[in-house]
Amino acid sequence: MRRLAQVVVRYRYPVIGVWIALAVLAAPQALRVGERLTLDLPAATLNESARARQILDTRFDAAAAKVLAVVVECESAGAAGPLAESLRSRIATEDFVSDVAEAGSLFGTTIADGMAVLMVFPRPEFADRLTSRAPLLRAELRTHLAAPRWSGCSALLTGEPVMESDIQEIAVADARRLERIALVPAAVILVWAFGSVGAAAIPIVTGVLAIGFALGGLSVIAQHTSLAVYVLQVVSMIGLGAGIDYSLLITSRFREALRAGRDSESAANLAGATAGRTVLVSGLCVVFGFGALSLTPTSEVRSVGLAGLIVVAVAVLLSVTLVPALLAAVGSWLDRPLWLSRRLGAWRGRGVWERWGTAIVRRRWWALSGGILAVAVLASPLVLLQIGVPRGGWYPPEAESSRAAELLKVSGIGGELLPVEVLVVPAEGDRAVTMRRLTALKRFTDSLAADPRVARVRGPLSLRKGMSMLGYAALYGDMDGARERYPELFGTYLSDDGAVGRLQVVLQDSVSLSTGMRLVRDVRSITESEGHGLGDAAVLVGGFAAAQVDEEAALRSAFPVMVALILGATGLMLAVTLRSLLMPIKAILLNALSVAGGFGLLVLVFQLGIGGTLVGLDAPLDALFVHVLVMVFAISFGMSMDYEIFLIARIREAFKRTGDDARATVDGLSATAGVITNAAAIMVVVFGAFAFSRITMARLLGFGLAVTILIDATVVRLVIVPAFMRIAGRWNWWPGMRDVKRER
C-alpha cells in the first residue's frame, strides 16, 4: 500500500484523468441498466420447479406465452361491455398477441357490474419480450381511453410481465429518489466532520462514482446474463455507503497528517499507506460476504452478490487511487473555507472521546457486561422469528398492475395469471392419460379442486363440462382422433406428443403469494408420499409460487454453509492482518452480536409491527424473507469490519509507541471515535433512506443494514471493544506481541 500510494501521489494528475475518462465511458451504460434487469430469472439449480419449467418450455407450445389481463372499470355499468369490446379489437391487432378473450365467457364466471376483464394471450415467440412491450400496450390503452365517450372508465393492465415492468420502473425511480434524499444529510454530516465543504465533497464524489461505475459494469453484464432488478437498490445503498465511508477514513487521516505538519504529498502518502491498508482489508471482508452470496443456489441472491462484489471493489479501488490523488492535488485548499473549519474544529476536539475512553477503561467490566446485555435485549425478539413470505406479498400496492390484480381477485379470476402448474410425467414411451391412469388422474384432480384455497383446476379431464370417464377413456384411446377433435388440447393440457399431462391449479387468492406457497408444499407432500395414485409417473409441481418455495428451501439449507464461509475467510484475513489469534475471534463474535441485534429489531418492527408506522408500515408483515436475513448477515458482517479494523489498527499503533495497554486503548479510541461515529452516521442515513423504498425487499434490507451498523458503531465499537481490549491486555497481540515489542 505504501508503494501504491507513492505511485498514485506522484502521478496524481494522470490518475485523475484516467478516472474521468472511465466515468465518461461508463455513464451511457449506467443510464440504461434499468431496462436490462429482470424479475424472471432462470433457476440457479435444477430443482423441482425448474424441471417443471423446462418441460413446459420444451414440450408445450403454449407454455411460454404468459397471459396478460386488462381490467375494465366504468362508473356507468353499461359502458364496461362496449369499452371491453372496443379494446379487444384494438389489442388483437398487436403483433405479439395471439388471441384476446372476454374472461367471463372464457372461464364461466360472472363479472361484477361496471367491470369487464380481457385475457390477452401472447404469441409464444414473444414470451421473452413481453416486459418491454407492457409499457407500449399500456400507452395504447390510455390513448384509447382518451376519447370523450369513455369518460369515467379505466383500463388497468396486469400479469407477470407487466408486474415485472412496473417493479423495474419503481426500482429505478426509487434508487434515484432515495440517493438524492440520502445525499443531503450525508453531506451535512461530512461538512460537520471535516468543517470544510471541499473535504466533504471528495467522499460524496467517490460514492457517486462508485454507483456509476458499478451500474455501468452491471449493465454490460446484464446483456449476457439475467440479473435481478433488486441490484439497483443494493448498488445505490452499498455504493454510497462504502464509497463515502472508505474515502472518509483516508481523508480524515490525510487531514490529521496535515495538522501534524506534513506537506500535501507526504500526508497523502501516509493516508494512502495506513488508512488505505485499512480500507483494503475492510473491503476484502465485505467482498467475502458478497462472494458468499454469489455462490448461493438462488438466482436473485446471486445477482445481489455479484452487484455488491462489483460496487465494493470499485469503491475500494477509487478510495486507494483516486482519493489520494485528489488529496495530493488539492492539498491545504481542502480546508476551505477556513472560518468554518476553525469554528467546527473547536467543537470537534478529541477531549470528549478521551474522557469517554478513560471512563470505559476504568469501568471495563461494567462496560463489557452492560454493552453485551444491551445488545442481547435488542436481539431478544429474534426468538419469535418467522421465515416466509410477508403478508400481502412484495409487489408495490400503488403499482397499476397490483391494483388490477386486486380487482381480479374480487372478480374471482385473479389466479388465472399465476396458476400452480402440476405436471404428470410418465416413463419414456408411456402416456399420462392411459386407461389405467385416468381414474387416478380424476381422483387427483378432484382432490385439488376440493381444496378451499383453489378456485378451479383445468387439465386433460376438463375439456367439456359433464363429460363422463367413459367418454374420456374413448377419447384418449384414439390419440389421433383426440388431436383432430380438440387440437387446442395438445400443447396446452397435454404435451405436443400427448405424453405429459398438465394441470393448472387456479387459486382463490391471487394477491398473497404465501397462499400459493402453502398449497405447493401441501401438494408436494402428497406427491412425495405417492398419494396421487398415478403409479410410476413422476408428478412435478411448478409455477411462480413453486419457484419461490424452492428458492426459500435452497437458501435455508445454504445459510449455514455461507455463514461458515464468511466467518472462516474473515477470521483468516484478520489473523494475518493483525498477527493475532484473539482479535479475529473477538471480532467475529462481536460482529455476530451486532447482526443478532439487527435481526431482533427487524423482527420487532417489521414482523411484529411494533414501531412500524415510523417506517411507513401499515400493518405487521407476520414473516420475513429468508433472502433478507441472508443478505443482511453477509453485507453487514463485512461492512462493520471497517470500524473494527480502523479502531484496532490505531490501538495497535499506540501500543507500539507506549507499551501501555490502558493508554493505547484510550489513545486509539479518542483518535478514531469521531471518525467512526461520523462514518456510521452516514451509513445509517444511506441505508435508512432505503427503508422507505416502495419495494418490500429493499425496505427490509435497508432497515436491517441501518440498525445493524448503528448497533455495531455505537454499543459494540465504542463500549464493548475498548472494554474487552483493556481486559485482555497484552493477550490481544499474541503471538504477534514479540513483533510489537521489537518494533517498540
Side-chain angles (χ1 to χ4, degrees):
M1 292 306 301
R2 185 169 59 251
R3 288 193 293 271
L4 175 63
Q6 289 170 349
V7 171
V8 166
V9 170
R10 182 178 180 182
Y11 299 102
R12 49 189 175 275
Y13 295 110
V15 168
I16 295 170
V18 168
W19 279 112
I20 291 174
L22 291 174
V24 172
L25 292 174
Q29 294 293 335
L31 292 174
R32 299 193 61 188
V33 66
E35 64 195 52
R36 294 171 178 171
L37 303 176
T38 181
L39 275 177
D40 187 20
L41 299 172
T45 57
L46 196 61
N47 50 43
E48 183 172 339
S49 60
R51 295 201 306 274
R53 177 170 177 171
Q54 193 176 71
I55 292 172
L56 284 168
D57 288 343
T58 56
R59 303 183 70 172
F60 287 80
D61 286 343
K66 301 172 183 178
V67 180
L68 308 180
V70 179
V71 183
V72 175
E73 195 174 26
C74 292
E75 295 174 0
S76 172
L83 174 56
E85 188 59 36
S86 176
L87 287 173
R88 179 179 176 181
S89 301
R90 181 158 186 169
I91 294 171
T93 62
E94 298 288 333
D95 61 348
F96 69 92
V97 175
S98 171
D99 190 21
V100 184
E102 204 280 317
S105 59
L106 183 66
F107 303 123
T109 57
T110 302
I111 307 297
D113 290 341
M115 280 185 62
V117 179
L118 298 175
M119 306 304 292
V120 181
F121 298 92
R123 298 181 186 277
E125 61 267 25
F126 283 89
D128 296 333
R129 288 173 278 173
L130 289 180
T131 301
S132 60
R133 291 299 185 104
L136 302 177
L137 181 56
R138 183 174 283 159
E140 286 282 330
L141 296 178
R142 289 174 178 168
T143 301
H144 193 81
L145 285 170
R149 64 175 297 198
W150 306 126
S151 177
C153 293
S154 65
L156 305 179
L157 184 65
T158 190
E160 186 182 348
V162 186
M163 289 178 169
E164 181 177 344
S165 174
D166 284 349
I167 286 191
Q168 283 180 341
E169 183 179 339
I170 289 173
V172 173
D174 271 8
R176 292 172 180 169
R177 175 176 62 90
L178 295 172
E179 282 171 15
R180 290 194 296 269
I181 291 173
L183 277 173
V184 174
V188 171
I189 294 170
L190 285 168
V191 171
W192 163 259
F194 290 125
S196 161
V197 175
I202 289 180
I204 293 289
V205 169
T206 306
V208 172
L209 285 177
I211 293 173
F213 285 122
L215 291 180
L218 289 170
S219 182
V220 174
I221 294 172
Q223 296 180 70
H224 305 285
T225 186
S226 298
L227 293 177
V229 70
Y230 303 116
V231 304
L232 282 174
Q233 312 276 348
V234 172
V235 167
S236 295
M237 278 190 283
I238 305 302
L240 270 184
I244 293 175
D245 214 34
Y246 294 157
S247 57
L248 170 63
L249 298 181
I250 293 176
T251 306
S252 297
R253 195 63 190 267
F254 172 78
R255 297 181 82 230
E256 185 180 324
L258 283 181
R259 287 195 296 269
R262 290 177 178 262
D263 59 44
S264 298
E265 287 197 16
S266 175
N269 279 322
L270 178 66
T274 55
R277 181 171 180 268
T278 299
V279 166
L280 181 63
V281 174
S282 174
L284 286 174
C285 290
V286 183
V287 165
F288 288 150
F290 281 114
L293 287 180
S294 65
L295 297 176
T296 55
T298 61
S299 299
E300 283 182 353
V301 179
R302 282 187 178 182
S303 294
V304 170
L306 176 63
L309 195 151
I310 290 174
V311 74
V312 170
V314 171
V316 170
L317 193 58
L318 283 165
S319 298
V320 299
T321 57
L322 179 62
V323 172
L326 287 172
L327 293 173
V330 174
S332 59
W333 283 88
L334 198 69
D335 282 335
R336 304 288 177 171
L338 293 176
W339 64 268
L340 181 64
S341 179
R342 293 192 187 105
R343 180 166 297 180
L344 292 179
W347 295 341
R348 297 188 326 274
R350 288 171 54 171
V352 172
W353 292 116
E354 190 167 348
R355 289 192 293 273
W356 173 267
T358 301
I360 294 293
V361 166
R362 285 178 180 171
R363 297 171 178 83
R364 49 194 175 276
W365 286 106
W366 284 104
L368 181 65
S369 56
I372 292 175
L373 179 62
V375 181
V377 169
L378 294 176
S380 59
L382 194 53
V383 299
L384 302 175
L385 173 66
Q386 292 293 324
I387 295 177
V389 176
R391 182 185 54 79
W394 58 62
Y395 289 114
E398 64 271 26
E400 179 182 313
S401 54
S402 294
R403 299 199 305 273
E406 288 283 358
L407 291 174
L408 285 178
K409 179 184 177 182
V410 173
S411 68
I413 58 173
E416 299 289 347
L417 297 177
L418 294 173
V420 174
E421 303 278 4
V422 181
L423 301 182
V424 180
V425 186
E428 191 68 31
D430 201 355
R431 295 201 313 269
V433 289
T434 58
M435 294 286 290
R436 62 188 176 88
R437 282 204 183 95
L438 281 177
T439 302
L441 185 61
K442 176 74 164 107
R443 283 198 303 267
F444 184 49
T445 302
D446 290 345
S447 68
L448 293 175
D451 192 300
R453 296 167 294 187
V454 175
R456 66 191 67 86
V457 180
R458 294 194 302 271
L461 301 183
S462 59
L463 290 179
R464 198 169 68 226
K465 191 173 182 180
M467 188 171 180
S468 67
M469 288 302 296
L470 186 61
Y472 280 115
L475 175 68
Y476 291 126
D478 178 13
M479 293 299 285
D480 292 336
R483 191 183 296 273
E484 186 176 337
R485 289 181 60 189
Y486 299 100
E488 72 279 3
L489 170 66
F490 293 84
T492 304
Y493 301 122
L494 284 175
S495 58
D496 292 328
D497 57 5
V500 180
R502 176 191 188 186
L503 303 177
Q504 287 190 310
V505 183
V506 179
L507 301 176
Q508 297 278 9
D509 181 1
S510 60
V511 177
S512 175
L513 186 58
S514 56
T515 302
M517 292 175 69
R518 285 193 294 270
L519 179 68
V520 167
R521 293 188 183 100
D522 292 344
V523 174
R524 284 180 175 175
S525 67
I526 296 172
T527 60
E528 287 167 3
S529 64
E530 297 188 358
H532 49 71
L534 293 168
D536 58 354
V539 179
L540 303 178
V541 183
F544 188 75
Q548 304 311 308
V549 170
D550 289 336
E551 277 215 355
E552 185 178 300
L555 276 179
R556 281 175 181 262
S557 62
F559 195 23
V561 177
M562 189 196 73
V563 169
L565 180 63
I566 292 174
L567 296 186
T570 303
L572 182 61
M573 166 70 71
L574 292 178
V576 172
T577 302
L578 301 175
R579 290 180 286 176
S580 166
L581 292 181
L582 184 61
M583 286 293 96
I585 296 172
K586 182 265 301 177
I588 287 172
L589 291 177
L590 294 185
N591 273 26
L593 190 65
S594 301
V595 173
F599 280 0
L601 289 175
L602 265 174
V603 171
L604 186 73
V605 175
F606 283 90
Q607 181 183 310
L608 304 180
I610 300 174
T613 54
L614 298 176
V615 291
L617 197 66
D618 296 328
L621 297 182
D622 299 335
L624 300 178
F625 292 114
V626 67
H627 306 63
V628 170
L629 301 179
V630 169
M631 288 189 283
V632 168
F633 176 84
I635 297 170
S636 63
F637 198 91
M639 298 206 75
S640 58
M641 281 296 175
D642 283 3
Y643 316 125
E644 172 75 12
I645 296 169
F646 194 53
L647 174 59
I648 298 304
R650 295 304 292 267
I651 293 176
R652 183 183 175 88
E653 285 182 25
F655 182 67
K656 289 179 184 179
R657 188 173 61 251
T658 66
D660 184 334
D661 297 308
R663 185 70 258 164
T665 301
V666 173
D667 287 352
L669 182 62
S670 61
T672 58
V675 178
I676 289 174
T677 304
N678 292 322
I682 291 168
M683 284 276 200
V684 170
V685 163
V686 171
F687 293 151
F690 284 84
F692 296 92
S693 172
R694 288 173 289 175
I695 298 175
T696 304
M697 183 89 78
R699 295 177 70 186
L700 289 164
L701 184 59
F703 180 85
L705 290 174
V707 295
T708 301
I709 294 296
L710 181 62
I711 293 168
D712 186 84
T714 53
V715 181
V716 174
R717 302 303 157 199
L718 301 183
V719 178
I720 298 177
V721 170
F724 179 91
M725 295 289 290
R726 178 65 187 98
I727 291 169
R730 290 176 175 266
W731 287 103
N732 286 312
W733 318 114
W734 187 86
M737 185 168 59
R738 296 171 188 159
D739 295 332
V740 172
K741 284 181 177 179
R742 185 169 59 250
E743 290 168 11
R744 184 165 60 85

